[in-house]
Amino acid sequence: MQFSLAFIAEIESAIQNHQFELIQNKISQINDADIAKLLSNLSLNEQLTLIEYLPNAAYIFEFLSIEQQLQIAEHLNTPLLVKILSEMHSDDRTDLFKQLNYKLQQQVSQYLSPEIQQDILQLAKYPEESAGAIMSSDYVALPPNLNMVEAIEQIRTQAKERETLYLIYVIDQDKKLLGVVSLRQIILAEPQQKIVEIMSRDLIVGYSDEDQESIAEKLSYYDFIALPIVDENNQLLGIVTYDDAMDIAKEEATEDFLKSSAMSSGHVSIKSAPILYLYQKRVFWLVILVFGSLLSGFGIAHFEDIISANIVLVFFLPLLVGSGGNAGSQSATLMVRALAIGDVELKDWLYLIGRESLVGLCLGGTMALAVSVLGYFRGDAMVALVLAISMMGIVLLGCLIGMSLPFILNRLKLDPASASAPLVTSICDATGVIVYLCIASLLL
Amino acid sequence: MQFSLAFIAEIESAIQNHQFELIQNKISQINDADIAKLLSNLSLNEQLTLIEYLPNAAYIFEFLSIEQQLQIAEHLNTPLLVKILSEMHSDDRTDLFKQLNYKLQQQVSQYLSPEIQQDILQLAKYPEESAGAIMSSDYVALPPNLNMVEAIEQIRTQAKERETLYLIYVIDQDKKLLGVVSLRQIILAEPQQKIVEIMSRDLIVGYSDEDQESIAEKLSYYDFIALPIVDENNQLLGIVTYDDAMDIAKEEATEDFLKSSAMSSGHVSIKSAPILYLYQKRVFWLVILVFGSLLSGFGIAHFEDIISANIVLVFFLPLLVGSGGNAGSQSATLMVRALAIGDVELKDWLYLIGRESLVGLCLGGTMALAVSVLGYFRGDAMVALVLAISMMGIVLLGCLIGMSLPFILNRLKLDPASASAPLVTSICDATGVIVYLCIASLLL
């Protein structure tokens, strides 16, 4: 939903004139996610005033970015902040609380209920990007021996603030997970059936120390609304819901994108991140790659004589070297993506190398043809031959290097997404220089 | 879930010996998604035998890739294929039906019920990648005047084969969408309340001709389980569910990845795609980029004299030119990603250019320092100066080009993801050559 400037102006004037009934009328039929968007269009002071009058400020809060949440939290009066924190879902609450400054944490803590304090402590102890760090403790859990009428009664009492009522976890008195039952199954079952009769025991679970990416994969593979998170004793600790999985998938795709362009991973907004932070994220790989390009430089230095004698070779240098790098980075991207989505495994390596050689030969052949025509017109038949052979070899080598490097990184337990493409480009560049100038010295 | 080889062997021997009770015992507690994975481990003949005995073959089918579905469908006996098609959810059914060969379509059609035939015709008419093409007609819809007891009764009767019971759409007699109510709200309401009293009228909808990416964005932004799809008259046509959104997001991220490495979009599996198909996907941009590198070549040709006189310049050529390309492709990647996730808009351009200039100056400064040390040792103080100034200029220009190109492509209504990074690299390369050799001719 896009708000018109006129609508925003109306809201702003209503806030300034304290016409809160008018505001309530205007926004009562607007979705929480859209109210969050509306808030982002207001000044901080207007935000603070408006939030006081929003009945479900806690849920709207969850749709704001963590930076916006923090900014507002630091300026809210303590009682309101405590109320909002108490009503937020446990995963979002913990994320916000962890980011508050120490003083504010102390100030707020004393007013939070002991259960909530306990919950924050519990959830905050898990490492970043683990299932524990993203899970919520707001699930519905029931004992196995209830019948459907009792189950629905229980669900109704537990419902408030629960992330989802649609998957219900069946636990014993030690909180051990016995099974799962969906609200769909409950609605469709006979009133006197017991949970234990209809629940599914085929439990797909996540572990609290499991990586968030693997959790998102499971949710997406099984099309679940929520995944239960357990500890090593199968005790239920929390749930991760489908909307978290979508956020994680987006985050991870962004990270992989950044890595593919030689940037360190982590959350980067080019609009709001500090200049120095952007600098730090980018400088490391740029400098590494400088040393990569030095390899090409040394290759060139070694062949300075042949270059001085045939200066026309320099004309084609960027073209040949670039083509190897381009073909190689295509292969690397295909490979990284295939490894990421589980399309290929280490054991496929030899088979893929065979296929890639064929693709590389076809690509190299096409490019060799193109470049030899150019070479003939700018130089002579011999130059054309040197270029054609070099191009063929460079593209083929580029493809094979591009395909193998992600495999090797994966084998070494390194993240293949990390700078594969730029690393491949530098290696292909240096290889290209050497192949080109070797062939030139042999033939010219 | 990973199946052990022993387990697969047991299933295979049970299939060969027609011990179907044994199989049923073994797999009765396995999730449909995992049974689909198990199927993929069997030979086609084993798959065909097993499928006859799976009570919910239709749902298992939906977890197979479309290629696997097709292969099995072409070898199943017609009555079983008709049964499976009839029981599949309407979106998956339509996808499979569209891919069957004409003869099989005719053969199967005559046994499908008229409603299902109608449904396939309806859904099949929407263009690829539109909301219409991915939506399902298996939603629960109710009139507004029912009370909660009647509503639950209705939901129970409609439940079979519905994609979700958790969001229920409220429609009038013309199928116009009036509101939406969640099963959660129904469970929590008083039995005598009417749907019209509790339903939400703040309708977030998708349109049948809307792009699937935009539908996935809406689902993910609002954290909905399903999004209703309507026509221009607000008539309800179908729903798209959260699991479809996850699949779309994955597909689109893969496409963007491929484009970022100069490959044409579309589904590419490096493991199973035909060699020629892979070749076609890759060759177009490689050849385009050859002509891009020619620009660099012409730059070099123009300055052949200064190169012949100072052959040491060639040593640093890959380094300087490569750094501009690397910095530029970082900027382009950041920008493409930010545009894709909606973090920046066209109006932010000037502000971002300002920020990027600062980042570029910092990066360029660092790299200039590094390269001037190298230049001093390999050449002299003057070479060091040429290198430092060139590096500064090349990196800064690279950043600005990298940031602007996606904006310009976006402005021209072209997809900024498409080959931004490689295009940026070639433009930066050529710019780099010219800057470097111009500065060298001025100073040396």
Side-chain angles (χ1 to χ4, degrees), chain A residues 347-360:
Chain A
K347 65 178 167 54
D348 300 321
W349 187 69
L350 214 65
Y351 171 66
L352 288 172
I353 284 289
R355 285 172 59 91
E356 187 66 15
S357 306
L358 286 176
V359 177

Side-chain angles (χ1 to χ4, degrees), chain A residues 1 29-31 33-34 37 63 156 159 162-166 182-184 187-190 201-202 204 217 219-225 242-243 245-246 250 253-254 256-258 260-263 268-273 275 278-279 282-283 286-287 289-290 293-294 296-298 300-301 304 307-308 311 314-315 318-319 323 326-327 329-331 333-335 337-338 343-344 348 351-352 355-356 358-359 362-363 366-367 374 378 399 403, chain B residues 1 29-31 33-34 37 63 156 159 162-166 182-184 187-190 201-202 204 217 220-225 242-243 245-246 250 253-254 256-258 260-263 268-273 275 278-279 282-283 286-287 289-290 293-294 296-298 300-301 304 307-308 311 314-315 318-319 323 326-327 329-331 333-335 337-338 343-344 348 351-352 355-356 358-359 362-363 366-367 374 378 399 403:
Chain A
M1 189 168 187
Q29 277 297 322
I30 301 180
N31 185 294
D34 284 324
K37 218 186 250 176
F63 282 102
R156 286 175 61 124
R162 294 300 175 232
E163 294 256 357
T164 181
L165 308 185
Y166 301 142
S182 66
L183 187 53
R184 179 184 197 130
I187 292 280
L188 294 180
E190 297 306 318
R201 291 157 209 267
D202 163 42
I204 313 287
E217 277 297 319
L219 270 161
S220 140
Y221 180 72
Y222 292 103
D223 291 347
F224 286 161
I225 288 186
Y242 68 96
D243 49 316
M246 287 200 246
K250 205 179 270 185
T254 301
D256 283 357
F257 259 105
L258 297 185
S260 76
S261 242
M263 276 170 280
V268 177
S269 159
I270 47 166
K271 199 167 158 188
S272 53
I275 304 278
L278 284 172
Y279 167 78
R282 296 175 56 172
V283 74
L286 282 185
V287 172
L289 292 174
V290 161
S293 334
L294 273 184
S296 304
F298 284 120
I300 291 175
E304 257 173 24
I307 295 174
S308 310
I311 203 79
V314 184
F315 175 79
L319 195 164
S323 299
N326 288 332
S329 88
Q330 286 184 335
S331 306
T333 301
L334 279 175
M335 201 64 213
R337 194 66 198 157
D343 190 28
V344 303
D348 300 321
Y351 171 66
L352 288 172
R355 285 172 59 91
E356 187 66 15
L358 286 176
V359 177
C362 295
L363 290 173
T366 312
M367 317 264 297
L374 290 173
R378 197 159 173 94
C399 288
M403 176 127 303
Chain B
M1 188 169 185
Q29 277 297 323
I30 300 181
N31 185 295
D34 284 325
K37 219 186 250 175
F63 282 103
R156 285 174 62 125
R162 294 299 173 232
E163 292 257 354
T164 181
L165 307 186
Y166 301 142
S182 66
L183 188 54
R184 177 185 199 132
I187 292 282
L188 295 179
E190 295 307 319
R201 290 158 209 267
D202 165 41
I204 313 287
E217 277 299 318
S220 140
Y221 180 73
Y222 292 102
D223 291 347
F224 286 160
I225 287 185
Y242 68 96
D243 49 314
M246 288 200 247
K250 203 178 270 183
T254 302
D256 284 357
F257 259 105
L258 297 186
S260 77
S261 243
M263 275 170 281
V268 178
S269 160
I270 46 166
K271 200 167 156 187
S272 53
I275 303 279
L278 284 172
Y279 166 78
R282 297 174 57 171
V283 75
L286 282 184
V287 171
L289 292 173
V290 160
S293 334
L294 273 184
S296 304
F298 285 119
I300 291 175
E304 258 173 22
I307 296 175
S308 309
I311 202 82
V314 184
F315 176 78
L319 196 164
S323 299
N326 288 333
S329 87
Q330 286 184 336
S331 305
T333 301
L334 280 174
M335 202 63 213
R337 195 65 196 158
D343 191 26
V344 303
D348 299 321
Y351 171 67
L352 289 171
R355 286 172 58 91
E356 187 67 14
L358 287 176
V359 177
C362 296
L363 290 172
T366 312
M367 316 264 296
L374 290 173
R378 193 152 179 100
C399 288
M403 176 126 304

Side-chain angles (χ1 to χ4, degrees), chain B residues 104-121:
Chain B
L104 204 51
Q105 285 185 345
Q106 295 303 92
Q107 203 172 316
V108 167
S109 281
Q110 50 187 317
Y111 299 107
L112 289 171
S113 76
E115 296 78 41
I116 290 181
Q117 288 186 35
Q118 186 59 32
D119 187 73
I120 292 178
L121 277 179

Side-chain angles (χ1 to χ4, degrees), chain B residues 231-276:
Chain B
D231 64 13
E232 64 277 20
N233 302 316
N234 200 33
Q235 275 197 335
L236 183 59
L237 301 173
I239 57 170
V240 176
T241 48
Y242 68 96
D243 49 314
D244 300 321
M246 288 200 247
D247 294 343
I248 295 165
K250 203 178 270 183
E251 219 177 88
E252 300 282 346
T254 302
E255 279 203 6
D256 284 357
F257 259 105
L258 297 186
K259 286 182 192 160
S260 77
S261 243
M263 275 170 281
S264 314
S265 62
H267 179 72
V268 178
S269 160
I270 46 166
K271 200 167 156 187
S272 53
I275 303 279
L276 269 179

